[in-house]
Amino acid sequence: MNSFLTYLLEQTPVYSLWQAPFVTDKLAPVLSHNDIARVRRVLDVGCGPGTNTDFFRNADYLGVDINAGYIESAQRKHKRRFVVADVTAYDDQAAGKFDFILINSFLHDVDDADVDKVLARIAGWLTSDGYIHVVELVSPGDRSIAQLLANWDRGKYARSLGHWRSLFERHLEIAVFETYSLKLAGARFWSMVYCKGRRKS
């Protein structure tokens, strides 16, 4: 069943439909803690089919995702710069540095070792005044509808709040660490965490 759901969610129209009700709410703490209009250069890690792109109309934007279908769709829709790549291996010296690096609901798809690789890699791409912004799913840790939905979202590695914090603290000086809920028709679907941090000196 999980492999079939994974296949479905890798299809751009299905993934976009699945994410559509939550796009703005997922980024609510990012938008409230940051002046997006002042962002200069954005790296959107695991950008999917350009789910977050429209929030950064005034910035120089680069989206990276390993799914070629997502990237093709994003390029058609947004006419911005997108690259098919594994972020842990991506190496474009011309890309420069970014003051805003976003990871939206990607890290729960990879194990702890790969989270370390991703965070270590991208931390080196920050400007001196830049921040990494992570939005992630928090494991409900029970057999609730929220846990079922978390499993449907393909992530094998939805973690507890404490686990997320320990992973982030290995690489970041944390400025914001905030939990919130995603709701649909008044019902709570997921618990989320937003982490904003700078590269450790």
Side-chain angles (χ1 to χ4, degrees):
M1 182 67 170
N2 280 344
S3 60
F4 179 64
L5 286 170
T6 297
Y7 168 78
L8 284 178
L9 288 169
E10 285 175 353
Q11 311 311 304
T12 302
V14 176
Y15 178 81
S16 297
L17 185 64
W18 170 240
Q19 290 296 309
F22 309 106
V23 170
T24 301
D25 289 346
K26 264 191 177 183
L27 289 189
V30 180
L31 300 174
S32 68
H33 284 285
N34 303 279
D35 184 353
I36 299 300
R38 299 184 65 181
V39 173
R40 302 183 304 273
R41 301 200 70 229
V42 176
L43 174 63
D44 189 355
V45 178
C47 65
T51 306
N52 314 301
T53 310
D54 282 343
F55 291 99
F56 304 103
R57 290 188 182 94
N58 299 320
D60 182 12
Y61 174 93
L62 172 62
V64 178
D65 200 287
I66 203 167
N67 185 314
Y70 287 170
I71 293 297
E72 182 182 350
S73 175
Q75 288 171 331
R76 281 199 314 268
K77 181 176 180 181
H78 298 287
K79 311 301 182 189
R80 304 293 295 274
R81 187 173 176 219
F82 295 91
V83 176
V84 179
D86 175 346
V87 72
T88 62
Y90 181 62
D91 187 18
D92 181 359
Q93 298 298 321
K97 292 186 179 288
F98 304 85
D99 60 307
F100 196 105
I101 298 179
L102 175 66
I103 309 176
N104 182 358
S105 307
F106 160 62
L107 296 178
H108 68 275
D109 293 322
V110 298
D111 63 20
D112 285 7
D114 282 336
V115 171
D116 282 332
K117 287 179 186 176
V118 170
L119 292 178
R121 182 79 168 166
I122 66 175
W125 297 339
L126 281 173
T127 59
S128 59
D129 61 345
Y131 286 91
I132 293 172
H133 306 263
V134 184
V135 172
E136 264 306 340
L137 176 70
V138 177
S139 174
D142 56 27
R143 294 174 178 257
S144 65
I145 186 67
Q147 184 63 57
L148 177 62
L149 290 166
N151 292 340
W152 280 2
D153 198 39
R154 293 177 291 175
K156 295 179 182 177
Y157 303 99
R159 298 164 173 94
S160 69
L161 197 60
H163 193 165
W164 280 125
R165 182 157 194 133
S166 69
L167 285 172
F168 299 152
E169 285 180 336
R170 292 180 196 173
H171 303 274
L172 303 174
E173 292 180 2
I174 294 176
V176 178
F177 189 83
E178 179 176 299
T179 58
Y180 61 106
S181 297
L182 291 185
K183 297 181 179 180
L184 188 63
R188 184 172 72 89
F189 269 35
W190 284 296
S191 290
M192 303 289 295
V193 62
Y194 165 54
C195 179
K196 173 182 179 178
R198 279 185 154 159
R199 181 182 183 180
K200 281 195 169 181
S201 53

